[in-house]
Amino acid sequence: GTANIGVVGLAVMGANLARNLASREGNTVAVYNRSPERTRTLLAEHPEAGFVPAYSVEEFAASLARPRTAIIMVQAGAATDAMIDALVEVFEPGDIIVDGGNAYFPDTIRRERAVRETGINFVGAGISGGEEGALKGPSIMPGGSDEAWQTLGPILRSIAAVAEGEPCVTHIGHDGAGHFVKMVHNGIEYADMQLIAEAYDLIRRGTGMSPAEIAEVFAEWNRGELESYLIEITAEVLRQEDAASGGPLVDVILDQAGAKGTGAWTVQTALSLGVPASGIAEATFARSLSSHPEQRAAAAGLPGPAVAPALADPAAFIEDVRQALYASKIVAYSQGFDVIRAGAAEHGWSIDLGAVSRIWRAGCIIRAQFLNRIAEAYAAEPGLPLLLSAPYFAEALGRGQAAWRRVVAHATGAGIPAPAFASSLAYYDGLRAERLPAALVQGQRDFFGAHSYRRVDRPGSFHTLWSGDRSEVEV
Ligand code: 6PG
């Protein structure tokens, strides 16, 4: 074989990744798709790429130099399993199969274990950046063995996005670590998007500004500490006019948000790890709520506030929303990194959180200046227990909290749903509280289930004889 890398699955993501690989010095790319039509189209449209086409898995294996390295870009789930099985049949020990789709990380752990039995390396790699990222430089989050990384590292480094001179790829950890981190990336993406959407809604309903006018607000924000790809595209979407109605496009898009699963996986994972990723959860649930038209119709007549609070100073309110957005964003990222920290501990991965923040600075959907602040926080204190407690973030939260409270109060008073803003603030207040009513919950648990409690003034576990003389015993 003459190709040093192969791509299997030539839908948009796979085709773009193959073209990206082919455009880099020293790469010869073998391509294979289950239906040959796609392969022929790609070859016809991109003669410059010098692709080596294959029309069967056998031919594909034969076209690759050893150790064979192939990236699978097919639908997560059954299609991925089928393609892995087919490649395992024709590959040999030492070869490398990479799954570049959005696989659920327990699947990746399972697949890695099964493929390893054959002596073939299996690497689950999260790839972020959408179609354009795949073509011009994505952020890549590979898991898998150190041995596979030896071969794969240089290839992935050559196609990744570059942030301040550093390629946006790092070996995240073994087996499913890469897909785990990609999953959390998407969870943070959900929170970031929901927070921006809430900011837009609050400004629109609070000030009556048009989407095009609010686009200018976001464009302005994009020149400050909120600078990010998601803020940038938000301005573009809000500016867009609809040809059919002549009005803003956003007003004719059905307000039911879709989801392909990664946000829900992040929340499920956080729940089972006992990590309070409440902002990510609210963002995921907000999509669910939007997508139940029958329930929304049934609730449409329920009363809201009798009098809507008037905004004395719209410009000041917009600045408050900006600060609330920044504070809530800090919470979302802090929670996301907390999920990664806990997941790494649970699965025995040694994940460098600073390195994760650095490979998210370019190429991926959540790319932002902000990731530099996170990188700095972990550089200063690699064992940081909670991101938002780092001096820079603690200071920013302290600076923004008054505005944050005004925005949540306004939303509540006006009957505007702002679940991600509100839950992020509640998380912040929960963490900083000196005493929590968790003490009462412990009392209740002890009352009905003798679950026992600990005391603040001495060690040990205690139970109150609630149905007896209510004296306390040590248990
Ligand atoms: C990325 C995106 C990508 C994809 C999501 C969208 O990092 O490039 O996250 O993976 O756009 O699957 O997810 P939803 O369809 O669930 O919004």
Side-chain angles (χ1 to χ4, degrees):
T2 56
N4 64 314
I5 178 88
V7 176
V8 180
L10 303 176
V12 191
M13 286 295 287
N16 283 0
L17 202 70
R19 287 171 58 201
N20 184 352
L21 283 160
S23 72
R24 312 292 165 155
E25 191 67 40
N27 283 339
T28 304
V29 185
V31 289
Y32 169 68
N33 193 74
R34 223 161 51 102
S35 73
E37 214 32 60
R38 273 222 162 107
T39 313
R40 292 198 188 98
T41 308
L42 180 66
L43 255 82
E45 284 175 357
H46 296 285
E48 80 287 350
F51 289 129
V52 180
Y55 296 95
S56 67
V57 276
E58 290 79 10
E59 198 186 343
F60 180 67
S63 68
L64 286 164
R66 290 187 177 82
R68 297 181 185 87
T69 306
I71 306 180
I72 303 180
M73 297 295 290
V74 304
Q75 279 216 323
T80 298
D81 276 313
M83 196 50 79
I84 293 167
D85 291 347
L87 288 181
V88 163
E89 288 300 309
V90 293
F91 275 22
E92 291 168 357
D95 291 349
I96 302 166
I97 299 173
V98 182
D99 172 14
N102 266 336
Y104 185 36
F105 78 91
D107 289 339
T108 304
I109 294 175
R110 165 179 62 77
R111 288 167 180 150
E112 200 272 342
R113 193 172 301 144
V115 174
R116 198 193 320 139
E117 298 280 297
T118 69
I120 297 169
N121 293 291
F122 181 79
V123 176
I127 302 181
S128 177
E131 297 173 13
E132 190 180 301
L135 183 61
K136 295 181 181 160
S139 172
I140 312 175
M141 293 147 257
S145 68
D146 297 339
E147 184 199 346
W149 175 244
Q150 292 291 318
T151 307
L152 215 50
I155 299 172
L156 297 184
R157 265 196 287 272
S158 77
I159 59 163
V162 176
E164 295 173 27
E166 282 182 69
C168 290
V169 56
T170 189
H171 185 206
I172 301 286
H174 294 162
D175 55 68
H179 275 140
F180 187 95
V181 166
K182 175 57 172 44
M183 172 189 79
V184 177
H185 164 283
N186 281 33
I188 294 173
E189 172 184 306
Y190 275 49
D192 225 337
M193 293 168 73
Q194 174 65 23
L195 289 167
I196 293 171
E198 291 178 14
Y200 150 75
D201 198 30
L202 284 161
I203 293 175
R204 187 159 184 193
R205 289 164 66 166
T207 69
M209 285 164 77
S210 72
E213 287 166 337
I214 300 171
E216 296 315 311
V217 171
F218 280 104
E220 174 64 32
W221 289 358
N222 202 38
R223 289 189 276 275
E225 62 194 355
L226 277 170
E227 185 280 332
S228 68
Y229 171 73
L230 285 169
I231 293 278
E232 179 192 328
I233 66 162
T234 297
E236 300 269 340
V237 173
L238 290 177
R239 241 180 235 135
Q240 184 71 24
E241 274 184 23
D242 172 48
S245 63
L249 177 69
V250 73
D251 286 351
V252 294
I253 297 179
L254 191 67
D255 59 345
Q256 298 176 21
K260 288 201 283 284
T262 47
W265 295 341
T266 308
V267 178
Q268 284 161 352
T269 304
L271 282 170
S272 46
L273 289 169
V275 173
S278 48
I280 298 172
E282 285 296 349
T284 309
F285 284 136
R287 290 195 190 187
S288 316
L289 185 149
S290 78
S291 299
H292 285 287
E294 68 303 336
Q295 294 181 348
R296 290 174 61 187
L302 297 178
V307 271
L311 281 180
D313 184 346
F317 179 68
I318 292 172
E319 173 56 18
D320 278 356
V321 173
R322 190 190 68 79
Q323 292 191 30
L325 178 53
Y326 195 60
S328 303
K329 181 177 167 121
I330 292 171
V331 165
Y333 281 70
S334 189
Q335 292 180 348
F337 275 85
D338 200 21
V339 176
I340 300 178
R341 180 201 52 75
E346 169 81 11
H347 296 281
W349 300 317
S350 69
I351 299 182
D352 177 343
L353 298 177
V356 170
S357 67
R358 290 197 302 278
I359 66 165
W360 285 350
R361 288 178 302 173
C364 65
I365 303 298
I366 64 170
R367 62 184 180 259
Q369 277 303 321
F370 184 70
L371 271 315
N372 276 312
R373 306 289 86 77
I374 299 179
E376 287 156 11
Y378 283 115
E381 198 185 336
L384 201 61
L386 187 70
L387 185 56
L388 64 70
S389 67
Y392 173 85
F393 296 115
E395 193 274 330
L397 290 169
R399 197 161 20 92
Q401 57 122 6
W404 204 1
R405 296 183 195 289
R406 285 193 294 270
V407 169
V408 171
H410 175 81
T412 308
I416 301 169
F421 274 177
S423 91
S424 305
L425 180 55
Y427 173 84
Y428 171 77
D429 282 333
L431 277 177
R432 51 170 216 93
E434 208 176 305
R435 285 281 293 165
L436 286 170
L440 176 57
V441 172
Q442 285 297 79
Q444 292 163 334
R445 293 177 68 242
D446 190 60
F447 187 102
F448 63 66
H451 294 295
S452 82
Y453 50 84
R454 286 177 296 153
R455 297 183 54 100
V456 296
D457 51 0
R458 56 199 145 95
S461 289
F462 301 90
H463 169 54
T464 291
L465 301 171
W466 296 103
S467 48
D469 66 359
R470 305 217 160 176
S471 63
E472 186 180 70
V473 293
E474 189 159 1
V475 291

